[in-house]
Amino acid sequence: MWQRELAKRLVVLALTVVVVLAVAAGGSTLLQSDDEPNRLQNPEYEPDAVVPEPIEATGTVETNPDPAADDSGTVVIDRGHSNRFSRSEIEPLVDALVREGYSVRYYTDGDLATALEGADAFLVIDPGSEYLPGDIDDVRQFTGNGGRLVMVGEPDRTAVSAGLLGTSIQTQESRLTTLASRYRMSVDTEYLYNQENADGTFKHLLVRPTSDSELAGVERAAMYTAAAVTAQNGTVLLRSAPSTHKSGSDEVTGEYPVAVQRNNVLLLGDKTFMRGDRYRVADNEQLVAYLAEFMIEGNYEAPPDRGDGVDAGDELESPNETATPTPIA
């Protein structure tokens, strides 16, 4: 009895295998063409057809600062406002500064004016906490006396964190508003994307310099999940390619600024382009070199004490000054 039952099961199993193999063979013929037996008839399902080919990463950061600039100085990098960046994300920029004879130090806490005294530039990357009025005054006096300020923002991001009570979803924002707005600059909250001009994925924008910029050697650069930036009475250095979208809308407005300069202040909408694994993509190394040159060419001079408790730098770029609005978004 049990021998007949076992034989029946073996026959059923064998027939099942034959049917599965037949269906698989027939299905493969449906997906293949006669001329190209190894290619799908539906090219939109082929990864090579829907994913833009990543750009090769080559080149090195070679700075060429103004000969009139000092061959040594100091750049202060902000770490006192919950700034979100790692060493690998700024290592190429730091290396370029050190090769030019500059020292790099971090501000973590204490009196910001004291930390900036004698420095040539102040680098602010993706702060997680707002700047207090006293810190803003210190930075404005620093730039009013010839120091350079570079601000790097990011679009809003969603972060998932796990704890004892479960997981939570939080929105991370670059807290640049209070500082950047005093220079009539801002960073958008939505990320930009482009399905035609990108480096491997639609969020990795390809951007190009404008005719007004002085980005020598930069024909195109790649930014990774960037935000649009604006400046009043400023100069657009880099714009996204045409047909660029904002994440919160399907509306296509064409090109968006992602790097702007106003006097001795520079604002960018992405930090990851200078990362150790991305700084050589396209002409990113030339963009990193420009950032280093911009900071090196700062010319900070301590203001003279007029004896009335007000430094000369306080008069520069007064928040009440008038200007003709010329948005460049």
Side-chain angles (χ1 to χ4, degrees), residues 59-63 92-93 96 99 279-280 284-286 288-289 292:
T60 58
V61 178
E62 298 290 343
T63 58
L93 177 60
R99 286 198 303 269
Y279 78 98
R280 298 191 302 161
N284 281 9
E285 74 277 4
Q286 299 294 337
V288 174

Side-chain angles (χ1 to χ4, degrees), residues 21 80 115-116 159 191 204 265 275 326:
L21 292 175
L116 293 175
Y191 69 82
H204 297 176
V265 181
R275 249 173 46 176
T326 54

